[in-house]
Amino acid sequence: MIANPVKSFNTVGACNPLKHYMLPAIPRLPDITDMIDGEFYFVLHAPRQSGKTTCLQALTKKINSEGRYYAINCSLEFLRNTNDPSTAMKYVVDLLNSEIEASDMAEISRLAYAFDGKPSMNSTVSMVRYLLRSLCQSLDRELVVFFDEADCIPEDPLVLFLAQIRTGYLARSVSESTKFPRSMALVGMRDISDYLYMVRPEAKSTGLASPFNVKKKSLTLSNFSLEEINSLYSQHTAETGQFFEPTAVERAWYWTDGQPWLVNAIADDVVVRQFKKDYSKVITRKDIDQAAGFLILQKETHFDSLLERLKEPRVRSVIYISGNLLATERSIPEHNINK
Ligand SMILES: Nc1ncnc2c1ncn2[C@@H]1O[C@H](COP(=O)(O)OP(=O)(O)OP(=O)(O)O)[C@@H](O)[C@H]1O
Ligand SMILES: [Mg+2]
């Protein structure tokens, strides 16, 4: 028995490969390298707690270490309640600058302070475009930008933000002075273009594309397969010697449908809460059932989020709570969703 394994099942935030058992993040998005190499601007949308930020962090690190392009991962979560478009654009610039400052890229860091007083930087209509354009001009490699939590931006600022991205994109190959990021992803729970149609339905009927009509394609993340759950749980077995019976792994898949956070949370509940890190105990199907029941009674916020997702038409594979019953379904009838 090993007293203190280095790693654990992560139930809070993005995974850190040094601290958490995890499945390789980048292969979960097999098309993303093609999107970046192909110079596309695209949307990555997936449910809450499905591993989006974990993938972006891994990818940003990989791109920067490979030396072909630079990459920035900028979360826009801070803009959640910023309805004023001008204030929101200033926040986007601040958030981008913080990422630039924190990066290892000396050229980018120096540039981060070079914008004050420039006329285009004083206009909230152009400041995001100007920052990205100037940054690209100064770099010796092309830039890839991920905007995580992009759907946190309220409607009016979102339109202004996307318009600047679109203008920059359309002019990017005109001349040296109009350079713009090679590839960009807007990441969140919603497909941004769907979101814009939702808030401005007339855009669809008049044939106007969304401001982000430079989008080429949407990517999404799948849940873990049974084999992947087995591979994740085996990492714990390799580190501690604690064994999951095959029927326990199958049961975890049954309850979670492979939803990444739930897969971790069920295992963590057995290992830490039920068995108090006594790694000599073999984990059975019954222990996994108990963990599932406990998580339901806890009513973790993630369940609320999953329930929210049920109202969205694209959701195919979900977990829902009806009274005290947890069930997996392939599709949930509308009358159950609205209960
Ligand atoms: N590669 C992975 N291997 C194993 N577990 C993972 C992996 N990626 C994510 N998870 C699980 O999913 C949880 C959420 O990860 P992450 O924060 O990256 O998701 P997210 O989609 O960005 O969430 P949010 O919607 O809250 O922004 C982690 O705490 C972990 O339990
Ligand atoms: Mg995230």
Side-chain angles (χ1 to χ4, degrees), residues 49 218 249:
Q49 295 288 296
S218 291
V249 183

Side-chain angles (χ1 to χ4, degrees), residues 10-15 21-25 28 47-55 148-149 189 224 232 260-261 264:
N10 180 24
T11 57
V12 184
C15 294
Y21 305 125
M22 62 182 287
L23 295 170
R28 298 190 66 211
R48 185 147 154 64
Q49 295 288 296
S50 55
K52 300 180 292 296
T53 302
T54 301
C55 284
D148 197 2
E149 310 271 1
M189 283 171 54
F224 297 157
L232 185 73
W261 181 84
N264 281 279

